[in-house]
């Protein structure tokens, strides 16, 4: 009788067997926690100082501009230099920036201009941190479990997004310096965890930085229709449908729930996203992933409309919960398709372009929301954005039929050199 073979460890067990991934996960949690605490503190502080939707929109613009100018450089750096060190430097600079801002506010020597300046600096740090972390993750886990690792990594951010706004909202009651100082400590912890990651760096891009090398990520995405469709769908859907920048207005003027209520509103999408991440980590998306991604985007838009029309705090929380769950499905599918379709030699630059698109949809979307709210009111801007998201999903189905027809995730990361790649 043949001897029974040992059972194969489940993908989740294999993830636990990778200490580098666990440290990466801790760093991502701490960084996301800091960013979410910062979002509540800065949003409420700016609106308290100005009472202006335009001023809130300018916070998003201040975050976006560094991303616009630095993303391609950050992507090249991620393919040349030690990715851990790039993330460590970005998180360390963010910690120092927030510590100085908290100190300045406490002493009463900084005003609105200094707040915007700090946001610009933090945007520059994120311009390097995010694409580099995205490029680093596939080097820490086996390719066959990368979709599950992405779901678990996404849950890290979403759990921080639950705790961060709540902690930030309650801490703000003690003064704006408290959540800012707490965010500085979180960034410092994230930096220490990242430098503890055991990873042998091998540069995947050699030679100096030229215009051609900077633009290779854009060229790769343009030549791969599934990747282009995935990234651009997120860009336009969230650019139109995001209501994050308007949450202080809804909390203050429509739902009348104060800073603590604002923290709950910002946390609600993350609660839905975390629960969906748990589901996706246990039951990975295995077929008709293209259909599921488009359906998730449409649900995101519909939930945005419901939230915008709601005058009930509980209904608003429920709509944001559904919005977050739908968004997480889209994020996991899109991230998996992009990472598994990109060879490691290009991953930094492609991740940088992806981060630029995400930043455009999030930060520039906040600016767009602020401007739209100034013209249409918060409710009108939210409804228009949600309807726009649904229309974008329908249009993208026609523009990118190959993306709609994607049935399964790629089995392992692409190894083809970009010069040999063909359009999908």
């Amino acid at each position: 009788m043949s001897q029974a073979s040992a059972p194969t460890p489940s993908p989740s067990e294999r993830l636990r067997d990778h200490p580098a991934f666990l440290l990466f996960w801790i760093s991502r949690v701490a960084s996301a926690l800091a960013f979410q605490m910062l979002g509540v503190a800065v949003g409420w502080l700016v609106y308290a100082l100005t009472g202006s939707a335009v001023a809130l929109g300018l916070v998003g613009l201040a975050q976006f501009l560094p991303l616009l100018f630095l993303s391609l450089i950050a992507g090249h750096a991620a393919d040349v230099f030690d990715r851990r060190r790039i993330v460590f430097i970005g998180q360390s600079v963010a910690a120092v920036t927030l510590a100085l801002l908290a100190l300045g506010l406490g002493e009463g020597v900084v005003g609105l201009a200094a707040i915007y300046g700090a946001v610009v600096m933090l945007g520059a740090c994120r311009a390097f941190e995010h694409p580099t972390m995205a490029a680093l993750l596939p080097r820490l886990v086996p390719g066959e479990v990368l979709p599950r690792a992405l779901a678990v990594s996404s849950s890290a951010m979403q759990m921080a997004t639950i705790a961060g706004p709540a902690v930030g909202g309650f801490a703000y009651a003690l003064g704006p310096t408290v959540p800012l100082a707490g965010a500085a400590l979180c960034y410092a912890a994230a930096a220490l965890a990242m430098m503890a990651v055991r990873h042998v760096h091998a540069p995947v891009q050699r030679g100096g930085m030229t215009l051609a090398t900077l633009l290779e990520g854009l060229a790769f995405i343009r030549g791969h229709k599934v990747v282009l469709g995935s990234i651009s769908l997120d860009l336009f859907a969230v650019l139109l449908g995001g209501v994050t920048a308007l949450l202080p207005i809804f909390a203050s003027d429509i739902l009348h729930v104060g800073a603590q209520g604002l923290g709950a509103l910002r946390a609600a999408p993350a609660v839905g996203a975390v629960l969906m991440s748990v589901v996706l980590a246990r039951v990975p998306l295995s077929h008709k992933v293209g259909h599921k991604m488009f359906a998730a985007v449409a649900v995101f838009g519909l939930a945005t409309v419901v939230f915008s029309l709601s005058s009930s705090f509980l209904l608003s929380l429920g709509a944001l919960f559904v919005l977050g769950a739908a968004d997480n499905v889209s994020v996991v599918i899109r991230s998996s398709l992009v990472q598994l379709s990109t060879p490691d030699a290009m991953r930094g630059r492609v991740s940088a372009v992806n981060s630029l698109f995400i930043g455009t949809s999030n930060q520039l979307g906040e600016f767009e929301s602020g401007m739209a709210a100034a013209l249409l009111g918060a409710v009108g801007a939210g409804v228009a954005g949600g309807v726009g998201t649904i229309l974008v999903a329908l249009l993208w189905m026609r523009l990118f039929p190959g993306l709609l027809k994607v049935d399964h995730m790629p089995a392992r990361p692409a190894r083809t050199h970009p010069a040999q790649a063909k359009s999908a």
Side-chain angles (χ1 to χ4, degrees):
M1 181 180 295
S2 61
Q3 190 175 20
S5 59
T8 303
S10 70
S12 61
E13 290 173 337
R14 287 198 291 267
L15 282 179
R16 290 195 296 268
D17 289 339
H18 291 272
F21 173 76
L22 297 178
L23 288 167
F24 175 94
W25 189 88
I26 292 171
S27 180
R28 193 159 196 176
V29 168
S31 177
L33 182 63
F35 183 74
Q36 292 302 325
M37 293 174 65
L38 174 67
V40 171
V42 170
W44 193 260
L45 179 59
V46 168
Y47 192 62
L49 290 174
T50 65
S52 168
V54 173
L56 284 175
L58 289 175
V59 173
L61 183 62
Q63 290 179 323
F64 170 71
L65 289 178
L67 190 65
L68 175 64
F69 290 108
L70 296 176
S71 285
L72 296 182
I73 297 173
H76 183 272
D79 285 336
V80 175
F81 302 109
D82 189 334
R83 291 168 179 169
R84 293 174 312 153
R85 293 187 181 277
I86 294 173
V87 175
F88 171 79
I89 292 171
Q91 292 171 340
S92 298
V93 172
V96 172
T97 300
L98 284 176
L100 292 175
L101 180 61
L103 181 62
L105 284 173
E107 296 294 328
V109 296
V110 299
L112 190 61
I115 295 172
Y116 283 130
V119 171
V120 170
M121 179 61 71
L122 292 168
C125 294
R126 286 172 63 82
F128 281 88
E129 177 191 2
H130 275 212
T132 307
M133 291 191 84
L136 177 61
L137 176 56
R139 304 279 298 191
L140 304 180
V141 297
E144 62 270 16
V145 297
L146 181 59
R148 192 179 295 260
L150 286 166
V152 173
S153 180
S154 176
S155 73
M157 296 186 66
Q158 299 302 341
M159 284 191 292
T161 308
I162 294 173
V167 172
F170 283 104
Y172 194 94
L174 302 176
T177 61
V178 177
L180 294 177
L185 290 175
C186 288
Y187 269 126
L192 292 175
M194 179 53 60
M195 281 310 295
V197 171
R198 296 282 185 176
H199 170 62
V200 178
H201 171 68
V204 291
Q205 171 70 25
R206 301 189 182 277
M209 182 176 64
T210 65
L211 181 61
T213 59
L214 288 177
L215 296 179
E216 278 184 349
L218 286 169
F220 179 86
I221 291 172
R222 185 179 60 185
H224 290 73
K225 300 302 183 184
V226 168
V227 176
L228 176 62
S230 300
I231 294 176
S232 59
L233 175 63
D234 175 77
L235 166 64
F236 289 102
V238 179
L239 177 64
L240 294 174
V243 292
T244 302
L246 304 181
L247 290 182
I249 300 177
F250 280 93
S252 175
D253 301 342
I254 297 174
L255 301 174
H256 308 289
V257 292
Q260 289 75 23
L262 172 61
L265 290 173
R266 288 186 67 101
V271 175
V274 164
L275 293 180
M276 182 57 70
S277 294
V278 172
V279 173
L280 295 180
R282 294 182 175 275
V283 187
L285 296 161
S286 58
H287 65 285
K288 293 187 176 180
V289 295
H291 283 82
K292 291 174 180 176
M293 182 172 70
F294 279 108
V297 173
V299 171
F300 178 93
L302 181 60
T304 301
V305 173
V306 172
F307 169 79
S308 301
L309 294 174
S310 170
S311 58
S312 164
F313 183 54
L314 291 179
L315 178 59
S316 297
L317 288 175
L320 291 174
F321 174 91
V322 173
L323 180 151
D327 185 51
N328 189 257
V329 173
S330 174
V331 165
V332 169
I333 295 175
R334 185 184 70 253
S335 299
S336 298
L337 289 175
V338 172
Q339 295 288 8
L340 291 171
S341 300
T342 306
D344 191 57
M346 290 291 302
R347 195 166 282 133
R349 281 161 289 171
V350 171
S351 295
V353 176
N354 189 26
S355 292
L356 177 59
F357 276 53
I358 293 172
T360 300
S361 62
N362 291 336
Q363 278 75 54
L364 193 59
E366 291 183 11
F367 177 68
E368 178 272 333
S369 296
M371 298 302 105
L375 295 174
L376 305 174
V379 173
V383 171
V387 172
T389 296
I390 297 172
L391 294 177
V392 165
L394 295 174
L395 178 61
W396 254 239
M397 290 181 191
R398 296 183 61 86
L399 293 177
F400 298 94
L403 179 60
L404 178 64
K405 295 176 183 177
V406 172
D407 189 51
H408 294 86
M409 298 291 189
R412 61 187 63 249
R415 297 186 180 276
T416 306
H417 188 275
Q420 299 172 322
K422 296 181 180 180
S423 299

